[in-house]
Amino acid sequence: MDVFVRKAKKHDLQAVLELYKQLHPEDLPSPPERELKRIWTRMISSPAVHCYVAEQEGKIVATGTLAVLPNLTRGGRPYGLIENVVTDKDFHRRGIGKKLLRYILQEAERLNCYKVMVLTDVYRHGTVEFYKTAGFKTGLKNGLVWLPHSVK
Ligand SMILES: CC(C)(COP(=O)(O)OP(=O)(O)OC[C@H]1O[C@@H](n2cnc3c(N)ncnc32)[C@H](O)[C@@H]1OP(=O)(O)O)[C@@H](O)C(=O)NCCC(=O)NCCS
């Protein structure tokens, strides 16, 4: 069955939120619906944030976000940050995440990013392999994370 990747639109919010529940079943409490809609509008209209969805027969089966951050070093080329990549659990291991990631990386290239970074939670089985399959490398840099007290 055909899967295609596209930029997320306003009406995709609910489907994306459903996928995020799979990504973080124990997430922080969600803001009220009005606030979620406001955030989503900002996300999909921001020049720095690029939200993508993979669609199969009218169903959103995966999503991922690329943030493209302006930068004065590296010849003024921006850098990219990938977040919130998730494929619906009923559609795992069908190449959908790979297709989505390939699309996102092509977009990063088109937007002139000189590098793209991603962090994966250490407890998530298979995610490092997933990103390696798409060409990401481990061992080039150390990834460090600071969390505010409200998230610890
Ligand atoms: C990680 C995730 C996005 C992969 O999505 P997917 O659509 O199932 O991935 P694909 O089918 O495109 O996999 C492509 C390749 O990545 C690797 N891969 C994917 N999942 C894997 C797993 N669980 N274990 C080992 N390798 C894996 C394989 O090499 C796979 O190719 P293959 O199936 O031909 O062997 C999906 O498992 C998911 O949503 N997990 C929960 C959320 C999550 O962890 N997101 C990442 C946050 S950083």
Side-chain angles (χ1 to χ4, degrees):
M1 271 176 278
D2 273 1
V3 174
F4 70 96
V5 180
R6 61 169 172 80
K7 268 263 176 103
K9 297 180 188 160
K10 199 171 176 181
H11 66 261
D12 295 318
L13 173 60
Q14 217 43 52
V16 167
L17 289 174
E18 287 303 317
L19 288 170
Y20 287 170
K21 279 187 201 159
Q22 294 184 27
L23 182 64
H24 297 298
E26 309 287 325
D27 204 359
L28 296 171
S30 204
E33 194 179 335
R34 182 139 46 105
E35 177 64 1
L36 285 172
K37 283 184 177 163
R38 199 185 62 79
I39 296 168
W40 182 240
T41 301
R42 280 187 66 196
M43 283 171 68
I44 58 175
S45 52
S46 162
V49 182
H50 304 265
C51 300
Y52 301 97
V53 291
E55 185 174 334
Q56 181 175 291
E57 296 195 322
K59 180 178 167 59
I60 303 302
V61 288
T63 185
T65 297
L66 170 72
V68 176
L69 299 153
N71 178 40
L72 288 173
T73 63
R74 304 292 183 162
R77 295 176 68 175
Y79 51 93
L81 196 55
I82 289 182
E83 270 281 6
N84 296 336
V85 173
V86 54
T87 299
D88 186 317
K89 59 180 177 1
D90 295 335
F91 294 81
H92 281 184
R93 301 306 284 263
R94 299 188 193 182
I96 294 172
K98 189 175 176 178
K99 191 163 187 174
L100 172 74
L101 208 48
R102 193 178 290 151
Y103 189 98
I104 292 176
L105 294 174
Q106 276 171 3
E107 286 284 277
E109 194 143 31
R110 184 180 67 76
L111 295 164
N112 204 27
C113 291
Y114 83 92
K115 72 175 173 191
V116 176
M117 297 173 283
V118 67
L119 292 172
T120 71
D121 288 316
V122 289
Y123 63 83
R124 287 192 189 274
H125 172 73
T127 49
V128 171
E129 288 77 5
F130 169 67
Y131 286 110
K132 277 176 145 179
T133 306
F136 281 82
K137 293 192 167 41
T138 54
L140 292 181
K141 307 233 179 200
N142 290 320
L144 288 85
V145 177
W146 176 87
L147 297 175
H149 286 296
S150 51
V151 180
K152 278 174 196 162

